[in-house]
Amino acid sequence: MKTQTRVVVIGGGIAGCSTLYHLTQEGWSDVVLVERNELTSGTTWHSAAQVTNFGMNQTMVGLKTHSINLYKELRDDPEYPVGYNHGDGGIRLANTEAQMEGYRHFASMARGMDVEFEVIDAQECARRHPLLSTDNLIGGLWDGNDGDIDPASLCQALARRARQAGAEVYRNTPVTGLTQHKDDSWTVHTDQGDIDCEIVVNACGYRVNEVGAMMGVHHPVASMEHQYFVTEDIPAIIEAGHRMPLIRCPISDYYSRQEKNGLLVGFYEQDCKTWGMDGIDPNFVNALCPDDLDRVMDVLEGAFARMPALADVGIKNVVNGPITYTIDGAPLVGPIPNKRNAFCIIGLRAGLGEGGGHGWMLAQQIVHGEACYDTWCIDPRRFTGHANVEMTALKAIEDYQNEFRFHFPNEHRPAARNAKTTPLTPALAAEGAEFTVVNGWERAEFFKPDPDFHVTHGFCFDESFDIVAKEVATVQNAVGLTEVNGFNRFELTGPDAQNFLDRMICGRLTRKEGRVGLAYLLNTHGMLKAEATIANLPASDRGPARIWYGSAAAAEFHDMDWLQSNLRDDEDVTIRSLTNDQTILVLAGPKARAVMQSVSREDWSAKGFPWLSVRECFIGYAPATVMSVSFSGELAYEIHVPNASLYAAYLALRGAGKAHGMGLFGALAVDSMRMEKGYLHWKADILTEFDPFETGLERFVKLDKPEFVGKAALEARYAKGPSKQLVTLKLASTNAAAHGGASLMSKGKVIGTVTSGDWGHRTGLNIAYAFVDPDFTALGTTVEIDVLGTLIAAEVIDKALYDPENLLVRN
């Protein structure tokens, strides 16, 4: 066994084998995989092994397409062919029009990744799958590339190819410990000896947290018992003369695929069960949990009703084994938070179907620093300190119970709520707040007119539309107040703090005390990495001169990792997180200044506190740090308050606001207003797949700076010209927004993809942002957007639709 290598991958299932293989494809051959037993001896061996192209976003569709193409190549390898039933087709069923709307959106989204789905009616479902009953069925989504694969031969084929490229695989080699050294390298301790390496990858399936504990981290991954059975031969399948398509049924919570001349039928029962919460037997290898078909009888009855032939056939065998889930159901693939040279590829509940793509994404990140797609939807850093084992288990149960029921826009499911709250959460709830969740934080989405008000979840504008319009009108004509909790906030101090930040951002750094600026950080490829508000706070009785770095709530771990990983040994900078210590109150509207003047002794005039200023003060008697910035386009103040004083500041502002017609507003109103201003959302419109010039942020780039991260790569990209360009469009539609991922079309060809869409209540426009081919960026250009299966005319318009000169925020 080697004693030194570049990368050690721990775990020999689909995650580990795919990662090892793809590392060799990216040019790294000095890599090793260690497995405590035999390859595929964990969840992989008993997987139902379905391989679909369906994904909830374009990144997921892209990695699944890579899996399918790779698996077809392995199937056709004459030296070691893999058993792969590709192209059987698959149907996701629906019995509501809202589900069908969702399928039409997903078909539009997939088209942008060169994947064709088909939305079909109930009769066509039955024609393609003759065992189906059409009772209580409207239709479904057809995936022509659906199929299933043999897990063992797939993993062996990947390991074989990796070995041929120079990698080594050590079976029956349990890892007993991990030691990280001062230079961030690792020693992997095994019962066969130690291996020194640069990088460690945790690919340990349901044993993920056994290895996590060895490096002092906990991963938000929990296991669920999952059962399926295989039937005896079914005559109708033999008579059909073709393989049966796969079925995924959100109506009755089951799936099926052909297995020889019978069916493999799996269940997602409501009375589900977690597994391994109190530890896992070391001898649980190639093992299963006890059968428990009584637990799935309600689901089985629904499957019998949908496929009556099941009621007349015997069961050959039952499989009940653990599968892993994360808090949101998507895997964790990428850097391990707060660790150096440590990565993970875990929580792969659909591991066989997606594993080829997941390993591809991870290998690119390890070798190149980024993948070809923006991978935030699977990034391990999207969860922060709230992601404990108890929460993960509750969300895993909820996700298991809703396996085939996708999330609707603005749908927030109830499990494990109130993980992060502020002193205002109950006060806002008493005011009628409907809450959304942002990185675990409960944030007001809109304010209900009465306690019994509920929206109908779907992809069209819902009952909250008029409520949001009123909230926007209050902000536009008087003054509104909202809480923005969880906003990521770092405090940078030290003699090198200014120069460090100047090196990190691609534009001019705001250096003057008492001033605020917007900045963008790039990765080493010249692509957008982060967006930050930089505020220079002068020395005061609250502390020395310091810099506040503010970014999106979800960016807490992501941005801290990026800043710390780029600190040089000779730079004296301290970065301290204040994210969980302070909360923002946003006061916005033409009467905001009058309210501020009523609660604070400072001069809040346009001259005394101009736009992009920051000062420390008191709101009533609550200490606060106030910035003159606006995400709404109205005169606004961001009021940063320590959580201990938050309620006092809120009461002071509410009291003073009565005389000025103050109302509360929520996140939906903010989103509507920011789109009218051309303001972007991180990880919706600001993606690592595009550079700042392509994203329309050229005013924040200064190529004449002597140095910044990603400069050389950005210069090279700039010389080549954009591959895509972000534009603003208005849609000729009033019933639905263009949701992220929808395809832009011209003459039947996909020419772009929507990133955000919403109704602008001040402008009366249905607005969308989209990345499009450069030939379609001129003002007045007309295209079509596939919105829920209907092509809607759209026109390229100015980015800043509301107060383009920023007169309101300046005056």
Side-chain angles (χ1 to χ4, degrees):
M1 190 172 74
K2 280 187 174 183
T3 59
Q4 189 159 358
T5 189
R6 197 164 194 177
V7 181
V8 172
V9 179
I10 307 171
I14 180 59
C17 291
S18 178
T19 301
L20 189 75
Y21 165 73
H22 283 99
L23 283 170
T24 65
Q25 293 298 293
E26 297 298 326
W28 285 16
S29 58
D30 183 16
V31 290
V32 162
L33 183 149
V34 294
E35 160 59 40
R36 70 191 301 272
N37 197 263
E38 295 288 343
L39 299 184
T40 75
S41 59
T43 295
T44 300
W45 82 269
H46 61 74
S47 169
Q50 300 167 89
V51 184
T52 176
N53 234 348
F54 179 82
M56 294 293 290
N57 54 59
Q58 288 191 326
T59 295
M60 296 301 290
V61 172
L63 65 86
K64 291 183 179 188
T65 297
H66 176 84
S67 295
I68 289 171
N69 291 336
L70 171 62
Y71 298 169
K72 287 195 295 184
E73 179 187 339
L74 295 172
R75 176 200 62 188
D76 298 335
D77 184 346
E79 295 182 8
Y80 195 93
V82 170
Y84 179 27
N85 296 308
H86 169 259
D88 291 348
I91 311 173
R92 293 176 184 270
L93 304 178
N95 67 338
T96 69
E97 184 54 39
Q99 288 172 313
M100 294 296 285
E101 284 179 354
Y103 290 159
R104 294 185 188 102
H105 169 67
F106 295 130
S108 174
M109 176 199 69
R111 193 172 300 119
M113 300 299 288
D114 295 324
V115 171
E116 289 295 330
F117 292 148
E118 188 179 353
V119 180
I120 58 178
D121 61 21
Q123 287 68 39
E124 185 62 17
C125 290
R127 190 189 71 78
R128 298 187 187 191
H129 197 304
L131 300 185
L132 282 181
S133 165
T134 58
D135 291 347
N136 188 32
L137 185 67
I138 293 179
L141 182 71
W142 172 263
D143 172 9
N145 281 308
D146 220 334
D148 66 273
I149 197 164
D150 174 52
S153 65
L154 170 61
C155 292
Q156 293 290 353
L158 291 169
R160 173 178 175 271
R161 286 196 171 191
R163 288 191 192 98
Q164 289 176 333
E168 297 190 16
V169 176
Y170 306 134
R171 299 170 295 119
N172 300 304
T173 307
V175 173
T176 58
L178 294 168
T179 300
Q180 189 165 30
H181 307 289
K182 289 183 179 181
D183 64 354
D184 293 328
S185 66
W186 292 86
T187 296
V188 180
H189 307 284
T190 80
D191 66 358
Q192 304 295 316
D194 292 349
I195 310 175
D196 294 325
C197 61
E198 298 173 25
I199 293 168
V200 170
V201 177
N202 186 340
C204 293
Y206 53 69
R207 295 190 184 274
V208 52
N209 278 310
E210 293 179 8
V211 172
M214 295 177 189
M215 61 174 66
V217 300
H218 168 78
H219 299 285
V221 175
S223 295
M224 302 293 297
E225 289 190 14
H226 176 60
Q227 296 185 91
Y228 64 78
F229 62 61
V230 178
T231 73
E232 302 283 358
D233 290 356
I234 297 175
I237 291 179
I238 300 173
E239 295 165 5
H242 62 82
R243 287 185 59 83
M244 289 293 107
L246 289 81
I247 294 295
R248 296 173 183 84
C249 182
I251 308 165
S252 301
D253 298 310
Y254 83 98
Y255 62 88
S256 74
R257 67 165 176 84
Q258 185 166 334
E259 179 69 13
K260 296 185 178 178
N261 287 322
L263 289 178
L264 183 154
V265 185
F267 307 97
Y268 290 96
E269 70 279 7
Q270 297 301 296
D271 183 24
C272 54
K273 187 177 180 181
T274 58
W275 179 86
M277 292 282 289
D278 297 316
I280 302 170
D281 186 338
N283 298 313
F284 191 87
V285 176
N286 281 322
L288 294 171
C289 310
D291 300 348
D292 190 5
L293 287 182
D294 288 344
R295 204 168 71 230
V296 303
M297 287 308 298
D298 58 333
V299 184
L300 186 57
E301 290 175 5
F304 285 167
R306 182 61 59 207
M307 302 172 72
L310 285 174
D312 301 321
V313 67
I315 297 174
K316 288 167 59 175
N317 61 291
V318 179
V319 170
N320 184 18
I323 58 176
T324 56
Y325 280 78
T326 66
I327 287 177
D328 62 1
L332 305 176
V333 181
I336 294 175
N338 304 316
K339 290 291 177 182
R340 294 284 166 266
N341 294 342
F343 294 81
C344 61
I345 176 167
I346 53 180
L348 277 62
R349 81 177 195 274
L352 265 294
E354 304 171 352
H358 288 140
W360 179 49
M361 293 286 101
L362 182 58
Q364 290 181 57
Q365 293 179 70
I366 292 172
V367 175
H368 307 297
E370 297 283 358
C372 57
Y373 303 138
D374 189 298
T375 56
W376 182 244
C377 63
I378 55 176
D379 194 304
R381 296 165 298 187
R382 70 186 188 273
F383 304 122
T384 56
H386 62 292
N388 55 46
V389 64
E390 285 76 12
M391 165 179 265
T392 305
L394 290 172
K395 295 302 288 186
I397 291 168
E398 181 180 65
D399 203 57
Y400 186 97
Q401 293 170 332
N402 291 277
E403 177 69 26
F404 300 128
R405 285 184 281 276
F406 53 78
H407 279 79
F408 288 104
N410 303 321
E411 178 192 5
H412 314 295
R413 291 176 179 168
R417 294 293 296 270
N418 294 305
K420 293 181 181 179
T421 61
T422 75
L424 289 191
T425 305
L428 296 177
E431 295 268 17
E434 180 74 16
F435 291 97
T436 182
V437 181
V438 181
N439 190 28
W441 293 93
E442 297 289 330
R443 187 179 294 181
E445 189 171 52
F446 63 89
F447 288 84
K448 299 180 287 188
D450 61 76
D452 297 325
F453 178 85
H454 298 286
V455 300
T456 304
H457 290 303
F459 284 80
C460 295
F461 294 126
D462 60 33
E463 297 88 343
S464 68
F465 185 89
D466 291 338
I467 295 171
V468 174
K470 291 178 181 178
E471 292 179 5
V472 171
T474 297
V475 174
Q476 182 182 16
N477 299 315
V479 60
L481 182 67
T482 194
E483 177 191 52
V484 182
N485 50 22
F487 185 78
N488 184 46
R489 183 185 295 99
F490 301 147
E491 184 177 272
L492 282 75
T493 55
D496 297 318
Q498 289 274 3
N499 290 336
F500 166 66
L501 275 180
D502 192 36
R503 183 168 56 80
M504 293 299 298
I505 70 171
C506 62
R508 296 287 185 222
L509 178 68
T510 302
R511 291 180 177 268
K512 186 177 179 182
E513 284 192 346
R515 298 296 289 169
V516 180
L518 188 61
Y520 291 89
L521 293 76
L522 310 182
N523 61 27
T524 55
H525 303 283
M527 315 297 255
L528 285 165
K529 185 75 172 179
E531 177 189 61
T533 301
I534 308 296
N536 294 322
L537 277 63
S540 71
D541 57 357
R542 301 182 194 176
R546 56 210 183 278
I547 304 169
W548 275 12
Y549 172 110
S551 58
E556 181 183 356
F557 282 4
H558 174 278
D559 284 14
M560 181 64 84
D561 267 2
W562 186 242
L563 292 175
Q564 289 186 332
S565 66
N566 278 280
L567 264 176
R568 294 171 177 166
D569 292 339
D570 61 351
E571 288 178 317
D572 186 354
V573 181
T574 300
I575 307 174
R576 182 168 70 102
S577 177
L578 304 177
T579 300
N580 298 312
D581 301 333
Q582 302 215 12
T583 296
I584 299 173
L585 296 173
V586 172
L587 187 70
K591 299 181 181 180
R593 180 175 288 118
V595 174
M596 289 295 288
Q597 207 65 67
S598 300
V599 296
S600 173
R601 293 182 289 114
E602 305 292 335
D603 178 3
W604 298 102
S605 67
K607 183 178 180 180
F609 192 68
W611 185 40
L612 299 180
S613 294
V614 58
R615 70 158 54 124
E616 293 174 327
C617 63
F618 290 90
I619 301 298
Y621 48 82
T625 303
V626 179
M627 301 181 194
S628 177
V629 294
S630 176
F631 203 50
S632 63
E634 306 292 345
L635 174 67
Y637 303 94
E638 274 190 7
I639 306 167
H640 301 243
V641 186
N643 285 336
S645 305
L646 185 64
Y647 188 50
Y650 171 78
L651 291 177
L653 291 165
R654 284 292 271 158
K658 290 180 180 178
H660 301 285
M662 176 186 283
L664 298 175
F665 66 101
L668 292 183
V670 173
D671 197 62
S672 169
M673 292 186 284
R674 68 101 181 173
M675 291 207 66
E676 293 174 310
K677 288 294 295 178
Y679 296 155
L680 309 182
H681 261 172
W682 185 70
K683 293 307 179 188
D685 317 301
I686 300 171
L687 305 168
T688 56
E689 294 178 35
F690 303 102
D691 65 42
F693 295 106
E694 293 170 321
T695 313
L697 299 171
E698 56 275 359
R699 68 190 183 280
F700 296 100
V701 179
K702 300 299 180 184
L703 288 177
D704 58 349
K705 285 179 63 173
E707 179 189 17
F708 60 82
V709 174
K711 180 183 177 183
L714 181 61
E715 288 175 327
R717 290 184 60 84
Y718 181 67
K720 291 173 61 177
S723 60
K724 295 282 186 181
Q725 196 78 41
L726 189 69
V727 298
T728 302
L729 303 118
K730 65 176 181 179
L731 281 65
S733 171
T734 59
N735 70 308
H739 298 281
S743 287
L744 272 70
M745 312 290 294
S746 178
K747 298 179 181 180
K749 179 184 175 184
V750 176
I751 52 94
T753 299
V754 170
T755 58
S756 294
D758 207 341
W759 186 267
H761 289 282
R762 294 173 299 190
T763 57
L765 295 177
N766 193 349
I767 307 167
Y769 299 160
F771 280 101
V772 301
D773 293 343
D775 292 341
F776 296 88
T777 60
L779 295 180
T781 300
T782 57
V783 296
E784 294 177 311
I785 301 180
D786 182 349
V787 180
L788 310 181
T790 300
L791 292 179
I792 302 297
E795 178 185 342
V796 178
I797 56 176
D798 283 320
K799 180 184 296 185
L801 303 173
Y802 183 76
D803 186 27
E805 302 299 322
N806 285 324
L807 298 178
L808 295 175
V809 296
R810 295 177 188 274
N811 300 323

